[in-house]
Amino acid sequence: MFEYFIKYIVALLMGLVLIGLLGEVLGSYLFIYSVLFLFVFALFPPKYFISSNSIIHGYYFIFFIIAPMYADIHSQDDFSTFKYKIAYGMIFLTHVTAVFGASVGEGVLKNLQNSGEGRDSLAGLRIKINILYALSTSAVFLIIFNSGGLSYWMEAPGDAFLNRAGSGLYVVASHFFTFILSALVGFYAYKKKSKLSLLIFVLWLLITSPVHGSKQLIAIFFLLAVLPWIRDLKFFQIKTIFYTVILLAIFALGLYFRNISWMTVDGFLPYALNYFTALRNLMILLEDFDPNFMQTFFLPFNKFLSPIGIKDLNIYYDMNHMLTDKYFPWAWEIRATEQWPVEADLYLNFYFIFGLPLIFVYTFIVGYIYGLARFRSNLGLWVVSFLMLLSITSHLRGSLYNHVDFYLYPMYFVIYLTLRKYRL
């Protein structure tokens, strides 16, 4: 672990030199961060296609390098200003701390051999899968019929998805059953070498995707189904390109269905790039707010007021809700939220710098569970680790924790108990 600490210190020193001392000389802080990104990537390279570091690097590359370079919302930005120095300094510190924590977590068990817990038995698995199809599909229909009806969903799936109030219990049930369904279909298809089983699931996922709505959630369902094939896929491998293209297609499909009423082919690319608003929103925050302590940290606990009948629309459940309502009220009217990055969360609650240890702890835990999955190799651990890995971006582009974690983490534990007897 000492080697990771040395790399972390070296990266911090490089950041201090390029951003802190030479920033005015080098000019664009977007360019400086791009150089630092390559440096951090070289120090903490991801070994596998889906691992904590690959996802962290991917997030910071897309949101803070690609989007600022090409999105319309940044076309007039001057990246040499002092505010961008502060913003990219925060972004760099969070990025390098996150990959440092994940690397230490993954490395704890890296020298131990796979223990191969679980068993290969497929007895009764086909029946269980059919039951899960029925439960997942039923949950989807209950969401539809409790949020406008089938005709509404067919006419305006984007609006229907954003206005699902009253169907929350069915949404949670849909997630739970589909997580397990995805994993078991993939496990069955892998063990039985049944491409048809996997194809049927992909078709089902395409049909129900407007109801799932979230592009990230659809990607998670797909990745869980192909988990047995990609769990050992190296980052620098040709197949990685294939799966990356599929994930980009899922992202495009999600955008299209959510905006089907107006989106054209010509308008797709600019809109897609403008989707990544984390940097713009961080700049807004730095302009209008001073660093603070515990300003929004406890907002997720307001969610517990809903079950006892308090439905005050002015009560926010996290930082994203509060800031979206303040700056983008037209979005909050339909309960859509903007992307306020975790740097904003740390800025408002820990004067930023004092929140970095929490970033380390969070990514360490995620990395450790991923390393444990590689060591134990049972399906339950693999599924939970993948779910936590793929939710990293949700926390990096929002609060360090949010109200959905209150039911997601217990759900993950139940999923682990349900699937731990199967061995990959």
Side-chain angles (χ1 to χ4, degrees):
M1 301 306 120
F2 184 69
E3 64 176 295
Y4 296 130
F5 178 74
I6 295 299
K7 290 179 179 180
Y8 182 60
I9 297 300
V10 170
L12 291 179
L13 291 175
M14 180 63 77
L16 175 63
V17 171
L18 293 185
I19 296 180
L21 302 179
L22 299 179
E24 288 76 9
V25 176
L26 295 175
S28 170
Y29 289 100
L30 171 57
F31 169 76
I32 293 172
Y33 176 68
S34 300
V35 173
L36 285 171
F37 175 89
L38 294 175
F39 185 70
V40 173
F41 186 89
L43 287 177
F44 299 95
K47 183 177 180 181
Y48 295 100
F49 169 57
I50 294 186
S51 62
S52 40
N53 277 352
S54 67
I55 292 170
I56 294 168
H57 286 316
Y59 165 80
Y60 279 96
F61 178 69
I62 293 172
F63 276 77
F64 300 112
I65 295 180
I66 294 298
M69 281 183 177
Y70 300 110
D72 287 343
I73 59 174
H74 293 292
S75 60
Q76 303 299 318
D77 289 10
D78 180 2
F79 292 104
S80 64
T81 62
F82 180 75
K83 285 292 184 181
Y84 271 108
K85 177 177 184 175
I86 298 300
Y88 272 111
M90 294 166 63
I91 290 163
F92 165 73
L93 287 172
T94 311
H95 177 195
V96 70
T97 301
V99 292
F100 172 50
S103 297
V104 174
E106 287 185 22
V108 170
L109 300 171
K110 71 177 182 179
N111 294 322
L112 299 178
Q113 293 185 350
N114 190 313
S115 65
E117 287 187 347
R119 55 187 173 84
D120 291 313
S121 175
L122 300 179
L125 190 54
R126 185 72 255 179
I127 296 175
K128 294 177 183 177
I129 289 173
N130 289 334
I131 293 173
L132 285 166
Y133 267 123
L135 292 171
S136 296
T137 305
S138 297
V140 166
F141 276 109
L142 286 169
I143 293 170
I144 292 173
F145 292 126
N146 284 275
S147 56
L150 186 60
S151 60
Y152 179 40
W153 275 88
M154 293 185 70
E155 291 172 6
D159 291 340
F161 173 77
L162 292 172
N163 293 279
R164 297 174 299 165
S167 62
L169 181 62
Y170 306 123
V171 171
V172 174
S174 173
H175 294 175
F176 176 70
F177 293 130
T178 309
F179 283 147
I180 299 177
L181 172 64
S182 305
L184 286 182
V185 166
F187 179 78
Y188 180 85
Y190 181 74
K191 293 294 185 180
K192 297 284 286 188
K193 295 180 173 56
S194 173
K195 294 180 181 179
L196 180 61
S197 299
L198 193 59
L199 178 61
I200 291 172
F201 173 77
V202 171
L203 291 174
W204 178 87
L205 185 60
L206 286 172
I207 294 170
T208 58
S209 61
V211 181
H212 300 306
S214 166
K215 295 170 287 297
Q216 184 183 36
L217 186 62
I218 297 168
I220 289 174
F221 291 151
F222 171 77
L223 288 172
L224 283 175
V226 297
L227 184 154
W229 290 272
I230 66 172
R231 70 189 191 281
D232 293 324
L233 184 64
K234 298 295 192 296
F235 186 84
F236 298 102
Q237 192 172 336
I238 193 66
K239 287 183 180 180
T240 299
I241 299 175
F242 170 75
Y243 286 105
T244 301
V245 169
I246 291 179
L247 293 177
L248 289 174
I250 292 173
F251 172 75
L253 183 67
L255 276 181
Y256 176 74
F257 275 120
R258 190 174 290 188
N259 303 279
I260 193 172
S261 61
W262 66 268
M263 183 169 284
T264 63
V265 175
D266 293 340
F268 175 77
L269 185 58
Y271 181 84
L273 292 174
N274 287 337
Y275 171 81
F276 304 103
T277 59
L279 179 60
R280 180 202 64 183
N281 293 343
L282 178 60
M283 296 302 296
I284 292 173
L285 185 84
L286 293 177
E287 289 284 348
D288 294 350
F289 284 81
D290 293 324
N292 212 318
F293 180 70
M294 293 299 182
Q295 188 168 352
T296 64
F297 188 76
F298 294 107
L299 288 181
F301 286 92
N302 287 336
K303 186 64 177 177
F304 292 110
L305 298 175
S306 296
I308 60 175
I310 298 179
K311 299 184 182 297
D312 186 350
L313 296 179
N314 294 317
I315 293 179
Y316 305 114
Y317 295 152
D318 61 30
M319 172 194 71
N320 292 35
H321 293 179
M322 184 190 80
L323 294 176
T324 298
D325 189 21
K326 178 179 176 62
Y327 291 102
F328 306 95
W330 56 90
W332 183 241
E333 283 181 5
I334 59 173
R335 294 304 179 261
T337 55
E338 281 285 324
Q339 299 161 350
W340 300 89
V342 73
E343 287 81 6
D345 190 30
L346 302 186
Y347 183 82
L348 292 175
N349 295 301
F350 302 100
Y351 295 95
F352 176 74
I353 195 68
F354 299 111
L356 292 177
L358 295 180
I359 294 292
F360 174 85
V361 170
Y362 167 65
T363 56
F364 172 86
I365 292 171
V366 175
Y368 176 78
I369 293 175
Y370 174 69
L372 189 63
R374 302 202 68 86
F375 172 60
R376 298 294 186 189
S377 200
N378 70 64
L379 184 61
L381 271 174
W382 268 112
V383 170
V384 169
S385 68
F386 263 55
L387 289 173
M388 294 189 69
L389 286 174
L390 297 174
S391 67
I392 287 176
T393 56
S394 295
H395 292 287
L396 291 179
R397 65 174 187 172
S399 303
L400 190 58
Y401 82 104
N402 53 57
H403 67 277
V404 299
D405 292 337
F406 294 139
Y407 74 81
L408 281 179
Y409 290 131
M411 180 191 294
Y412 293 167
F413 182 68
V414 174
I415 290 172
Y416 162 70
L417 295 177
T418 302
L419 300 176
R420 63 177 176 171
K421 65 181 180 179
Y422 300 108
R423 183 179 66 207
L424 279 171

